[in-house]
Amino acid sequence: MIIDVNMHHLPENLFDDEKILDGFLSTAPRGFGEVAYMGMTEKGQRQIILEKPKGYQNLNYVEGDYNLESKLKAMDDAGVDIGVLRVPVWQEWLRLDTCKIVNDNAYDMCKRSNGRLYANACVPPWGGKENIKELERCIKELGMVGVQVACHYGQLYLDDEVFRPYLKTIEKLGVPLVVHHTPGPVHWESLYEFTNLRRELGRVTDQATAVGRELFSHMFDDLPELKVIHTMFGGNWFANYNLLTPHKSKKAEAMDRLDLSEGDKIRGYLKNNLFFDTTHPASWGKEQVECAIKVCGADHILFSSSFPVFYNWMSDGVEFMKGLDISDEDRELVMSGNAIRLFGLKV
């Protein structure tokens, strides 16, 4: 079985319903440099474009890519059995009323998929009675299997105390928290001028920052049962694993330039609380993905395509994963086993 845990979802009538469209376009925080507007592709299709700063595109959402038929056809072509839906990036600023529309549409789409699609809940993460009520509705009534959030909100990463009531509710509900990358880190000014730095390294940097803050803030001491799934291998976290958890020297040093006391605790969080998805794995390279699986453990990696950013990311990703030099047991964990376990999928 093949399960893609990162299939992008937007309301199917987003481009035609003025209320929903306004809920997306008008809420982009211009005060933080975000610009959202409608445009056209070269082929004459309507698209929503996000820029940060103005004139530098980070995200493009094209009409027709997000309906159920497109998803199922792509899954059939790639050999994907099940997809898990999430809203890409927008959840950083959507209002509760818009989130309810998004969640209802996701529920309807999953229902019409005949068991092939599941969804993550999309709710503002600020706590509060109405937000918590919608979160509980999504899990208990709509059958959603996880909750999605952005890497950061404004200048706040998820370790900030303001998010703790919301995260504690998710922990009690027993579903995983899915942390989708944002186009750039809080301090993005040095990354925006060059397209690949802006559209790829920006996301990686934001994820790595988010993971690092979650680990070194010790937020999991307060949330010991919370399972968190980060996109893009957690921002290359496999490469940072040993670098940021240094061992004590066998020889006395003149001074301690690094904190050597936290290694075991950080490694415990990585084992018990943090998981990573592959986010279009073929783009990373065979040696890099094999390294990530070896360092993080096959039981901590989930297959993910980010469809439909590029249509072929899903099909190329499936074929790419088949060609990795890993055991069949590890491949099964990455391609389906971990998703079934973490999301509690009944398949």
Side-chain angles (χ1 to χ4, degrees), residues 85-97:
L85 304 178
R86 68 177 71 162
V87 177
V89 177
W90 285 102
Q91 74 273 21
E92 185 180 350
W93 52 75
L94 289 183
R95 300 185 303 255
L96 179 60
D97 59 336

Side-chain angles (χ1 to χ4, degrees), residues 15 45 48 57 71 90 97 113 140 160 165 171 175 208 270 284 291 299 309 316 330 339 342-343:
F15 289 87
Q45 293 170 286
I48 294 176
Q57 294 186 10
K71 286 180 171 59
W90 285 102
D97 59 336
S113 76
K140 296 179 179 180
D160 193 279
E171 182 186 35
V175 295
L270 287 164
W284 294 82
C291 177
D299 58 342
V309 178
D316 287 356
D330 284 352
L342 289 171
F343 289 105

Side-chain angles (χ1 to χ4, degrees), residues 34-212:
E34 297 280 357
V35 180
Y37 62 95
M38 285 282 288
M40 301 291 288
T41 68
E42 293 181 356
K43 296 180 180 180
Q45 293 170 286
R46 289 181 294 179
Q47 65 168 326
I48 294 176
I49 300 169
L50 291 183
E51 297 179 347
K52 185 177 181 179
K54 185 177 181 179
Y56 292 86
Q57 294 186 10
N58 284 307
L59 295 158
N60 308 75
Y61 303 104
V62 180
E63 183 180 19
D65 281 349
Y66 297 93
N67 58 49
L68 177 61
E69 293 73 20
S70 295
K71 286 180 171 59
L72 294 181
K73 184 179 186 306
M75 292 168 68
D76 290 339
D77 291 346
V80 171
D81 299 289
I82 290 173
V84 183
L85 304 178
R86 68 177 71 162
V87 177
V89 177
W90 285 102
Q91 74 273 21
E92 185 180 350
W93 52 75
L94 289 183
R95 300 185 303 255
L96 179 60
D97 59 336
T98 305
C99 286
K100 289 180 178 179
I101 294 171
V102 170
N103 291 329
D104 286 339
N105 180 255
Y107 167 75
D108 180 65
M109 182 178 288
C110 292
K111 188 175 181 180
R112 289 185 285 124
S113 76
N114 294 318
R116 297 193 64 186
L117 294 176
Y118 293 83
N120 289 293
C122 179
V123 183
W126 307 104
K129 182 178 179 180
E130 292 304 312
N131 290 336
I132 298 300
K133 182 178 178 181
E134 173 63 9
L135 175 60
E136 292 177 339
R137 181 182 81 96
C138 287
I139 305 304
K140 296 179 179 180
E141 298 179 25
L142 303 187
M144 294 185 174
V145 296
V147 181
Q148 63 173 88
V149 293
C151 259
H152 68 262
Y153 292 80
Q155 295 184 329
L156 303 179
Y157 284 92
L158 298 176
D159 61 290
D160 193 279
E161 287 292 333
V162 71
F163 302 115
R164 199 58 52 86
Y166 188 73
L167 298 183
K168 284 188 174 182
T169 301
I170 295 170
E171 182 186 35
K172 290 179 181 177
L173 289 170
V175 295
L177 180 74
V178 176
V179 184
H180 197 81
H181 48 269
T182 59
V186 168
H187 301 291
W188 50 267
E189 290 83 356
S190 60
L191 296 172
Y192 78 88
E193 295 173 280
F194 309 104
T195 298
N196 287 9
L197 290 184
R198 182 174 70 254
R199 300 195 73 142
E200 294 289 16
L201 186 61
R203 291 158 166 78
V204 170
T205 302
D206 202 34
Q207 280 286 18
T209 302
V211 171

